[in-house]
Amino acid sequence: MLILKIDDYRIKALEFKDTYKQNILDARDEKQEELGIFYELLSNNFIDKLLLYTPKQQYKLISIISKKYPILEDRNSEEYKAFRYIFIEKGYEQIDKKEFYNQLDIKSCVYCNRNYIFNLNENGHIKGQIDHFYDKASYPYLAISFYNLIPSCAGCNKVKGSYNTYENSSVSPYMREESKIFDVEIDSIYNLKYKIQDDDLLKKLFIEEIYNDGHKDILNDMYNKFYQEETKEHFELLKREFQNLGIVDSEIYRYLTCGYFDKEDFHKRTFSKLIKDITQELGI
């Protein structure tokens, strides 16, 4: 899973809020009768904040609402239907998905980092999808909160579905700390495999199984290049020659591994997070 930094997207989040806030206010006024007591709670000031809530604030809001307003968990209630209309039908479903992707400029799926998501299909529609970290069916009031919208591939979005990240205390990409996700298990050169760190969401997405079934060749290539004695010395010599030419380490790393070195750049090329973890594991 890639790491997203809230500070990197503050300006874009403000622009997003300014674009879609009026939609929410208009829909709120339209549903005043059905909202009942919630109409006053959905003030202009609160909507301003809600669209910019961080995952930590979103988690706290879910906790408060589930205790104080259980009616919003009843999907047959008029209040829930009103919230769905306001935040999903007149909110999320009105987002210009292509423009959203252009603003974020994230090239690969945040969850798996194995599929590109920026390119268009033959009809001009973006290939990627937008996942709601806190799913919109359970928490419609977060359906258009900027930091709840995660660029993802169709596969991850479908598998994750309505998985309840709140109840499972999952950690949003915006709240993650830099850490290894992939470990490497080496029984022999014929039995190399990935092992995922204990992470409920990545397990739900079957990342370990997908990588071991379909992408073990990356691990084999890295092992053969950098870990075996007969090739390790060659690449260490090549690295020193590049350094002597004044080429910076991050560029040398990308040339040798075909992955990006800095976490901020992982999204630019698929499997960069995996490659970084492997190189750390193999001591490269």
Side-chain angles (χ1 to χ4, degrees):
M1 183 182 292
L2 305 183
I3 294 175
L4 304 178
K5 290 187 175 181
I6 291 174
D7 286 343
D8 291 343
Y9 296 97
R10 288 196 187 278
I11 294 176
K12 294 173 182 178
L14 286 168
E15 292 172 349
F16 178 88
K17 180 205 71 172
D18 291 341
T19 300
Y20 297 106
K21 176 186 173 183
Q22 194 58 49
N23 288 17
I24 303 302
L25 296 177
D26 291 344
R28 176 204 63 182
D29 291 343
E30 188 179 342
K31 291 292 182 178
Q32 181 173 357
E33 183 176 345
E34 292 92 333
L35 283 170
I37 63 170
F38 293 106
Y39 180 80
E40 296 298 328
L41 294 176
L42 295 179
S43 65
N44 290 19
N45 185 51
F46 177 74
I47 297 298
D48 254 344
K49 295 177 180 178
L50 179 63
L51 297 185
L52 299 176
Y53 266 4
T54 65
K56 185 176 181 179
Q57 292 170 317
Q58 293 166 17
Y59 185 91
K60 185 176 180 180
L61 180 64
I62 293 172
S63 178
I64 292 171
I65 287 179
S66 64
K67 293 174 183 176
K68 293 185 66 174
Y69 307 110
I71 190 67
L72 291 180
E73 297 179 355
D74 179 1
R75 300 187 186 186
N76 293 316
S77 70
E78 291 300 317
E79 291 84 353
Y80 174 88
K81 292 177 182 178
F83 268 64
R84 181 177 178 82
Y85 176 80
I86 295 166
F87 293 102
I88 298 180
E89 294 180 32
K90 294 299 182 179
Y92 171 71
E93 292 179 1
Q94 305 306 312
I95 293 176
D96 183 333
K97 310 300 193 299
K98 183 178 176 181
E99 179 61 24
F100 179 79
Y101 264 79
N102 287 337
Q103 284 186 323
L104 266 65
D105 194 30
I106 293 175
K107 308 299 186 185
S108 63
C109 176
V110 170
Y111 290 128
C112 70
N113 187 218
R114 60 186 284 269
N115 290 316
Y116 285 113
I117 57 176
F118 64 89
N119 54 318
L120 306 178
N121 65 19
E122 60 185 8
N123 297 318
H125 299 299
I126 59 171
K127 184 177 180 181
Q129 297 185 1
I130 300 175
D131 174 63
H132 290 79
F133 185 76
Y134 295 115
D135 74 280
K136 64 182 183 293
S138 299
Y139 315 107
Y141 44 87
L142 296 177
I144 196 170
S145 293
F146 181 86
Y147 295 110
N148 194 40
L149 306 176
I150 309 298
S152 68
C153 65
C156 284
N157 196 21
K158 182 177 181 180
V159 173
K160 178 175 173 289
S162 58
Y163 178 73
N164 198 307
T165 50
Y166 170 75
E167 292 181 355
N168 288 284
S169 298
S170 303
V171 182
S172 165
Y174 281 106
M175 300 302 293
R176 285 180 173 261
E177 300 292 336
E178 173 63 17
S179 63
K180 283 175 76 261
I181 290 176
F182 296 96
D183 285 328
V184 179
E185 290 189 349
I186 306 175
D187 292 335
S188 69
I189 61 172
Y190 305 106
N191 188 18
L192 307 175
K193 63 180 181 180
Y194 307 113
K195 186 70 177 175
I196 286 284
Q197 297 283 351
D198 188 22
D199 186 296
D200 68 291
L201 183 53
L202 293 181
K203 290 181 184 297
K204 167 65 180 176
L205 295 173
F206 301 106
I207 298 298
E208 183 176 308
E209 291 84 351
I210 290 171
Y211 270 77
N212 276 316
D213 288 345
H215 305 297
K216 199 178 287 187
D217 59 319
I218 298 174
L219 177 55
N220 289 332
D221 288 348
M222 298 290 288
Y223 180 85
N224 290 330
K225 275 188 191 179
F226 301 113
Y227 201 68
Q228 297 190 95
E229 287 300 323
E230 58 267 31
T231 56
K232 186 176 182 180
E233 183 177 345
H234 168 73
F235 277 96
E236 287 177 349
L237 177 62
L238 187 60
K239 180 179 177 180
R240 288 196 294 272
E241 289 178 352
F242 278 130
Q243 289 172 331
N244 291 335
L245 292 172
I247 301 175
V248 298
D249 285 349
S250 61
E251 291 297 318
I252 297 172
Y253 175 92
R254 187 171 64 178
Y255 177 78
L256 296 178
T257 68
C258 298
Y260 278 86
F261 182 80
D262 296 317
K263 60 181 180 296
E264 294 83 4
D265 296 325
F266 287 164
H267 73 94
K268 294 179 180 178
R269 185 169 294 171
T270 55
F271 304 109
S272 285
K273 172 58 178 169
L274 170 71
I275 291 171
K276 182 65 177 293
D277 285 357
I278 292 174
T279 58
Q280 287 184 325
E281 184 80 7
L282 298 180
I284 300 167

